[in-house]
Amino acid sequence: MTGIPYDLEEGLFPHSYAAGARLHSNSWGTTSIYYDTMSMEIDEFAYTHKDFLVLVAAGNDGPY
């Protein structure tokens, strides 16, 4: 897969979950400081799958 799927809740996490993963580490760069659709989809999937933990790197976009 290349790029981030448009719908994380249906296009990314279910595949990992079905394969047995219970930890998903994401390192996607962004300059957004807002709670956006991607944040909401991560929260919704984690909320409905209590045994699945999503980690997202902070500060992964920038000159350093």
Coordinates of all heavy atoms in Angstrom, one line a residue:
M1 N 0.8 -1.2 0.0 CA 0.0 0.0 0.0 C 0.9 1.2 0.0 O 1.9 1.3 0.7 CB -0.9 0.0 1.3 CG -1.6 1.2 1.4 SD -2.6 1.5 2.9 CE -2.6 -0.1 3.8
T2 N 0.5 2.2 -0.8 CA 1.2 3.5 -0.8 C 0.3 4.6 -0.3 O -0.9 4.6 -0.8 CB 1.8 3.8 -2.2 OG1 0.7 3.9 -3.1 CG2 2.8 2.7 -2.6
G3 N 0.7 5.5 0.5 CA -0.1 6.6 1.0 C -1.0 6.1 2.1 O -1.1 5.0 2.5
I4 N -1.7 7.1 2.6 CA -2.7 6.8 3.7 C -4.0 6.7 3.2 O -4.5 7.6 2.4 CB -2.6 8.0 4.7 CG1 -1.2 8.2 5.3 CG2 -3.6 7.8 5.9 CD1 -1.0 9.5 6.0
P5 N -4.8 5.6 3.5 CA -6.1 5.4 2.9 C -7.0 6.6 3.3 O -6.9 7.2 4.4 CB -6.6 4.1 3.6 CG -5.3 3.4 4.0 CD -4.4 4.5 4.3
Y6 N -8.0 6.9 2.5 CA -8.9 8.0 2.8 C -9.7 7.7 4.0 O -10.0 8.5 4.8 CB -9.8 8.2 1.6 CG -10.8 9.2 1.8 CD1 -10.5 10.6 1.8 CD2 -12.2 8.9 2.0 CE1 -11.4 11.6 2.0 CE2 -13.1 9.9 2.2 CZ -12.7 11.2 2.2 OH -13.7 12.2 2.4
D7 N -10.2 6.4 4.2 CA -11.0 6.0 5.3 C -10.2 5.0 6.2 O -10.1 3.8 5.9 CB -12.3 5.4 4.8 CG -13.2 5.0 5.9 OD1 -12.9 5.1 7.1 OD2 -14.4 4.6 5.6
L8 N -9.6 5.5 7.3 CA -8.8 4.6 8.1 C -9.6 3.6 8.8 O -9.2 2.4 9.0 CB -8.1 5.5 9.2 CG -7.2 6.6 8.7 CD1 -6.6 7.3 9.9 CD2 -6.1 6.0 7.9
E9 N -10.8 3.9 9.2 CA -11.7 3.0 9.9 C -12.1 1.8 9.1 O -12.4 0.7 9.7 CB -12.9 3.8 10.4 CG -13.6 3.1 11.6 CD -14.7 4.0 12.2 OE1 -14.9 5.1 11.7 OE2 -15.3 3.6 13.2
E10 N -12.2 1.9 7.8 CA -12.5 0.8 6.9 C -11.4 0.4 6.0 O -11.3 -0.8 5.7 CB -13.7 1.2 6.1 CG -15.0 1.5 6.8 CD -15.5 0.3 7.6 OE1 -15.4 -0.9 7.0 OE2 -16.0 0.4 8.7
G11 N -10.5 1.3 5.7 CA -9.4 1.0 4.7 C -8.1 0.6 5.2 O -7.2 0.2 4.5
L12 N -7.8 0.8 6.5 CA -6.5 0.5 7.1 C -6.6 -0.5 8.3 O -6.0 -1.6 8.2 CB -5.8 1.8 7.4 CG -4.4 1.6 8.0 CD1 -3.5 1.0 7.0 CD2 -3.8 2.9 8.5
F13 N -7.2 0.0 9.3 CA -7.1 -0.8 10.6 C -7.8 -2.1 10.5 O -7.3 -3.1 11.1 CB -7.8 0.1 11.7 CG -7.0 1.3 12.0 CD1 -7.7 2.5 12.2 CD2 -5.6 1.4 12.0 CE1 -7.1 3.7 12.5 CE2 -5.0 2.6 12.3 CZ -5.7 3.7 12.5
P14 N -8.9 -2.4 9.8 CA -9.5 -3.7 9.8 C -8.6 -4.8 9.3 O -8.6 -5.9 9.7 CB -10.8 -3.5 9.0 CG -11.1 -2.1 9.1 CD -9.8 -1.4 9.2
H15 N -7.8 -4.4 8.3 CA -6.9 -5.4 7.7 C -5.8 -5.8 8.7 O -5.5 -7.0 8.8 CB -6.2 -4.8 6.4 CG -7.2 -4.3 5.4 ND1 -8.0 -5.1 4.7 CD2 -7.5 -3.0 5.1 CE1 -8.8 -4.4 3.9 NE2 -8.5 -3.1 4.1
S16 N -5.3 -4.9 9.4 CA -4.3 -5.2 10.4 C -4.9 -6.0 11.6 O -4.3 -7.0 12.0 CB -3.7 -3.9 11.0 OG -3.0 -3.2 10.0
Y17 N -6.1 -5.6 12.0 CA -6.8 -6.3 13.0 C -7.1 -7.7 12.7 O -6.9 -8.7 13.4 CB -8.1 -5.5 13.4 CG -8.7 -6.0 14.7 CD1 -8.3 -5.5 15.9 CD2 -9.8 -6.9 14.6 CE1 -8.9 -5.9 17.1 CE2 -10.4 -7.4 15.8 CZ -9.9 -6.9 17.0 OH -10.5 -7.3 18.2
A18 N -7.6 -7.9 11.4 CA -7.9 -9.3 11.0 C -6.7 -10.2 10.9 O -6.8 -11.4 11.0 CB -8.6 -9.2 9.6
A19 N -5.5 -9.6 10.6 CA -4.3 -10.3 10.6 C -3.7 -10.6 11.9 O -2.7 -11.3 12.1 CB -3.2 -9.5 9.7
G20 N -4.4 -10.1 13.0 CA -3.9 -10.4 14.4 C -3.2 -9.3 15.1 O -2.8 -9.5 16.2
A21 N -3.0 -8.2 14.4 CA -2.2 -7.1 15.0 C -3.2 -6.4 16.1 O -4.4 -6.3 15.9 CB -1.8 -6.1 14.0
R22 N -2.6 -6.1 17.2 CA -3.3 -5.4 18.2 C -2.6 -4.1 18.6 O -3.0 -3.3 19.5 CB -3.5 -6.2 19.5 CG -4.4 -7.5 19.2 CD -5.8 -7.0 18.7 NE -6.6 -8.1 18.5 CZ -6.9 -8.7 17.3 NH1 -6.3 -8.2 16.2 NH2 -7.7 -9.7 17.1
L23 N -1.5 -3.8 17.9 CA -0.8 -2.5 18.1 C -0.5 -2.0 16.7 O 0.0 -2.7 15.8 CB 0.5 -2.8 18.8 CG 1.5 -1.6 19.0 CD1 0.8 -0.6 19.9 CD2 2.8 -2.1 19.6
H24 N -0.8 -0.7 16.4 CA -0.6 -0.1 15.1 C 0.1 1.2 15.3 O -0.3 2.1 16.0 CB -2.0 0.2 14.5 CG -1.9 0.3 13.0 ND1 -1.5 1.4 12.3 CD2 -2.3 -0.6 12.0 CE1 -1.6 1.2 11.0 NE2 -2.1 -0.1 10.8
S25 N 1.3 1.3 14.8 CA 2.2 2.4 14.9 C 2.2 3.2 13.6 O 2.5 2.7 12.6 CB 3.6 2.0 15.3 OG 4.4 3.1 15.4
N26 N 1.8 4.5 13.8 CA 1.7 5.4 12.6 C 2.7 6.6 12.7 O 2.8 7.2 13.8 CB 0.3 5.9 12.4 CG -0.7 4.8 12.4 OD1 -0.6 3.9 11.7 ND2 -1.7 4.9 13.2
S27 N 3.4 6.9 11.7 CA 4.4 8.0 11.7 C 4.1 8.8 10.4 O 4.9 8.7 9.5 CB 5.8 7.4 11.7 OG 6.7 8.5 11.9
W28 N 3.0 9.5 10.4 CA 2.6 10.4 9.3 C 2.9 11.8 9.6 O 2.4 12.3 10.6 CB 1.2 10.2 9.0 CG 0.8 8.8 8.8 CD1 1.5 7.8 8.2 CD2 -0.5 8.2 9.2 NE1 0.8 6.6 8.2 CE2 -0.4 6.8 8.9 CE3 -1.6 8.6 9.9 CZ2 -1.5 5.9 9.1 CZ3 -2.6 7.8 10.2 CH2 -2.5 6.4 9.8
G29 N 3.6 12.5 8.8 CA 3.9 13.9 9.0 C 2.6 14.8 8.8 O 1.8 14.5 7.9
T30 N 2.5 15.8 9.6 CA 1.4 16.7 9.4 C 1.7 18.0 10.1 O 2.5 18.0 11.0 CB 0.0 16.2 9.9 OG1 -1.0 17.2 9.6 CG2 0.1 16.0 11.4
T31 N 1.2 19.1 9.7 CA 1.3 20.4 10.4 C 0.1 20.8 11.1 O 0.0 21.8 11.7 CB 1.7 21.5 9.4 OG1 0.7 21.6 8.3 CG2 3.1 21.2 8.7
S32 N -1.0 19.9 11.0 CA -2.3 20.2 11.6 C -2.2 20.1 13.2 O -1.5 19.2 13.7 CB -3.3 19.2 11.1 OG -4.5 19.4 11.8
I33 N -2.8 21.0 13.8 CA -2.9 21.0 15.3 C -4.3 20.8 15.8 O -4.6 21.0 16.9 CB -2.3 22.3 15.9 CG1 -3.0 23.5 15.4 CG2 -0.8 22.4 15.6 CD1 -2.7 24.8 16.2
Y34 N -5.2 20.4 14.8 CA -6.6 20.3 15.1 C -7.0 18.8 15.2 O -6.4 17.9 14.6 CB -7.4 21.0 14.1 CG -7.0 22.5 14.0 CD1 -6.2 23.0 13.0 CD2 -7.5 23.4 15.0 CE1 -5.9 24.3 13.0 CE2 -7.1 24.7 15.0 CZ -6.3 25.2 14.0 OH -6.0 26.5 13.9
Y35 N -8.1 18.6 15.9 CA -8.8 17.3 15.9 C -9.6 17.2 14.6 O -10.6 17.8 14.4 CB -9.7 17.2 17.1 CG -10.3 15.8 17.3 CD1 -9.5 14.8 18.0 CD2 -11.6 15.5 16.9 CE1 -10.1 13.6 18.2 CE2 -12.1 14.2 17.1 CZ -11.3 13.3 17.7 OH -11.9 12.0 17.9
D36 N -9.0 16.3 13.7 CA -9.6 16.3 12.3 C -10.3 14.9 12.1 O -10.4 14.1 13.0 CB -8.6 16.6 11.3 CG -7.4 15.6 11.3 OD1 -7.4 14.6 12.1 OD2 -6.4 15.9 10.6
T37 N -10.7 14.7 10.9 CA -11.4 13.4 10.5 C -10.5 12.2 10.8 O -11.0 11.2 11.3 CB -11.8 13.4 9.0 OG1 -12.7 14.6 8.9 CG2 -12.6 12.2 8.7
M38 N -9.2 12.3 10.5 CA -8.3 11.2 10.7 C -8.2 10.9 12.2 O -8.3 9.7 12.6 CB -6.9 11.5 10.1 CG -6.0 10.4 10.2 SD -4.3 10.8 9.6 CE -4.7 11.0 7.8
S39 N -8.1 11.9 13.0 CA -8.1 11.7 14.5 C -9.4 11.0 14.9 O -9.3 10.1 15.8 CB -8.0 13.1 15.2 OG -6.8 13.7 14.8
M40 N -10.5 11.5 14.4 CA -11.8 10.9 14.8 C -11.9 9.4 14.4 O -12.3 8.6 15.2 CB -12.9 11.6 14.1 CG -14.3 11.1 14.5 SD -15.6 11.9 13.6 CE -15.3 11.4 11.9
E41 N -11.4 9.1 13.2 CA -11.4 7.7 12.7 C -10.5 6.8 13.6 O -10.9 5.6 13.9 CB -11.1 7.6 11.3 CG -12.1 8.2 10.3 CD -11.7 8.2 8.9 OE1 -10.5 7.9 8.6 OE2 -12.5 8.6 8.1
I42 N -9.4 7.3 14.0 CA -8.5 6.5 14.9 C -9.2 6.3 16.2 O -9.2 5.1 16.7 CB -7.2 7.3 15.1 CG1 -6.4 7.3 13.8 CG2 -6.4 6.6 16.2 CD1 -5.2 8.2 13.8
D43 N -9.8 7.3 16.8 CA -10.5 7.2 18.0 C -11.7 6.2 17.9 O -11.9 5.4 18.8 CB -11.0 8.5 18.5 CG -9.9 9.4 19.1 OD1 -8.7 8.9 19.3 OD2 -10.1 10.6 19.3
E44 N -12.4 6.3 16.9 CA -13.6 5.4 16.7 C -13.2 4.0 16.6 O -13.8 3.1 17.2 CB -14.4 5.9 15.5 CG -15.2 7.1 15.7 CD -16.0 7.6 14.5 OE1 -15.8 7.0 13.4 OE2 -16.8 8.5 14.7
F45 N -12.2 3.7 15.8 CA -11.8 2.3 15.7 C -11.2 1.8 17.0 O -11.6 0.7 17.4 CB -10.7 2.1 14.6 CG -10.5 0.7 14.2 CD1 -11.3 0.1 13.3 CD2 -9.5 -0.1 14.8 CE1 -11.2 -1.3 13.0 CE2 -9.4 -1.4 14.5 CZ -10.2 -2.0 13.6
A46 N -10.4 2.5 17.7 CA -9.9 2.1 19.0 C -11.0 2.0 20.0 O -10.9 1.0 20.8 CB -8.8 3.1 19.5
Y47 N -12.0 2.8 20.0 CA -13.1 2.7 20.9 C -13.9 1.4 20.7 O -14.4 0.8 21.6 CB -14.0 3.9 20.8 CG -15.2 3.9 21.7 CD1 -15.0 4.3 23.1 CD2 -16.4 3.6 21.3 CE1 -16.1 4.2 23.9 CE2 -17.5 3.5 22.2 CZ -17.3 3.9 23.5 OH -18.4 3.8 24.4
T48 N -14.1 1.1 19.4 CA -14.9 -0.1 19.1 C -14.1 -1.4 19.2 O -14.7 -2.5 19.1 CB -15.6 0.0 17.8 OG1 -14.7 0.2 16.7 CG2 -16.6 1.1 17.8
H49 N -12.8 -1.3 19.3 CA -11.9 -2.5 19.4 C -11.0 -2.2 20.6 O -9.9 -1.8 20.4 CB -11.1 -2.6 18.1 CG -12.0 -2.9 16.9 ND1 -12.6 -1.8 16.2 CD2 -12.3 -4.0 16.3 CE1 -13.2 -2.4 15.2 NE2 -13.1 -3.7 15.2
K50 N -11.5 -2.5 21.7 CA -10.8 -2.2 23.0 C -9.4 -2.8 23.1 O -8.6 -2.4 23.9 CB -11.7 -2.6 24.2 CG -13.1 -1.9 24.2 CD -13.0 -0.5 24.5 CE -14.4 0.0 24.7 NZ -14.5 1.4 24.6
D51 N -9.2 -3.9 22.4 CA -7.9 -4.6 22.4 C -6.9 -4.1 21.3 O -5.9 -4.8 21.1 CB -8.1 -6.1 22.3 CG -8.8 -6.5 21.1 OD1 -9.4 -5.7 20.4 OD2 -8.8 -7.7 20.7
F52 N -7.2 -3.0 20.7 CA -6.4 -2.5 19.6 C -5.9 -1.1 20.0 O -6.7 -0.2 20.3 CB -7.2 -2.4 18.3 CG -6.5 -2.1 17.1 CD1 -5.7 -3.1 16.5 CD2 -6.5 -0.9 16.5 CE1 -5.1 -2.9 15.3 CE2 -5.8 -0.6 15.3 CZ -5.1 -1.6 14.7
L53 N -4.6 -0.9 20.0 CA -4.0 0.3 20.4 C -3.3 1.0 19.1 O -2.5 0.4 18.5 CB -2.9 0.1 21.5 CG -2.1 1.4 21.9 CD1 -3.1 2.4 22.6 CD2 -1.0 1.0 22.9
V54 N -3.7 2.2 18.9 CA -3.1 3.0 17.8 C -2.1 4.0 18.4 O -2.5 4.8 19.2 CB -4.2 3.7 16.9 CG1 -3.5 4.5 15.8 CG2 -5.2 2.7 16.4
L55 N -0.9 4.0 17.9 CA 0.1 5.0 18.3 C 0.4 5.9 17.1 O 0.5 5.5 16.0 CB 1.4 4.3 18.8 CG 1.2 3.3 19.9 CD1 2.5 2.5 20.1 CD2 0.8 4.0 21.2
V56 N 0.5 7.2 17.4 CA 0.8 8.2 16.3 C 1.9 9.1 16.8 O 1.8 9.7 17.9 CB -0.5 9.1 16.0 CG1 -0.2 10.1 14.9 CG2 -1.7 8.2 15.6
A57 N 2.9 9.2 16.0 CA 4.1 10.0 16.3 C 3.7 11.5 16.3 O 2.9 11.9 15.5 CB 5.2 9.8 15.3
A58 N 4.2 12.2 17.2 CA 4.0 13.7 17.3 C 5.2 14.4 16.8 O 6.3 14.0 17.1 CB 3.7 14.1 18.7
G59 N 5.0 15.4 16.0 CA 6.1 16.2 15.6 C 7.0 15.5 14.5 O 8.2 15.7 14.4
N60 N 6.3 14.8 13.6 CA 7.0 14.1 12.6 C 7.1 14.9 11.2 O 7.6 14.3 10.2 CB 6.3 12.8 12.3 CG 7.1 11.8 11.4 OD1 8.3 11.7 11.6 ND2 6.5 11.1 10.6
D61 N 6.8 16.1 11.3 CA 6.9 16.9 10.0 C 7.6 18.2 10.4 O 7.2 18.9 11.3 CB 5.5 17.2 9.5 CG 5.5 17.8 8.1 OD1 6.4 17.5 7.4 OD2 4.6 18.6 7.8
G62 N 8.6 18.5 9.6 CA 9.3 19.7 9.9 C 10.7 19.6 9.5 O 11.2 18.6 9.0
P63 N 11.5 20.7 9.8 CA 12.9 20.7 9.3 C 13.9 19.8 10.1 O 15.0 19.7 9.7 CB 13.3 22.2 9.4 CG 12.4 22.7 10.5 CD 11.1 21.9 10.4
Y64 N 13.5 19.4 11.3 CA 14.4 18.6 12.2 C 14.1 17.2 12.3 O 13.0 16.7 12.3 CB 14.5 19.2 13.5 CG 14.8 20.7 13.5 CD1 13.8 21.7 13.7 CD2 16.1 21.1 13.2 CE1 14.1 23.0 13.7 CE2 16.3 22.5 13.1 CZ 15.4 23.4 13.3 OH 15.7 24.7 13.3

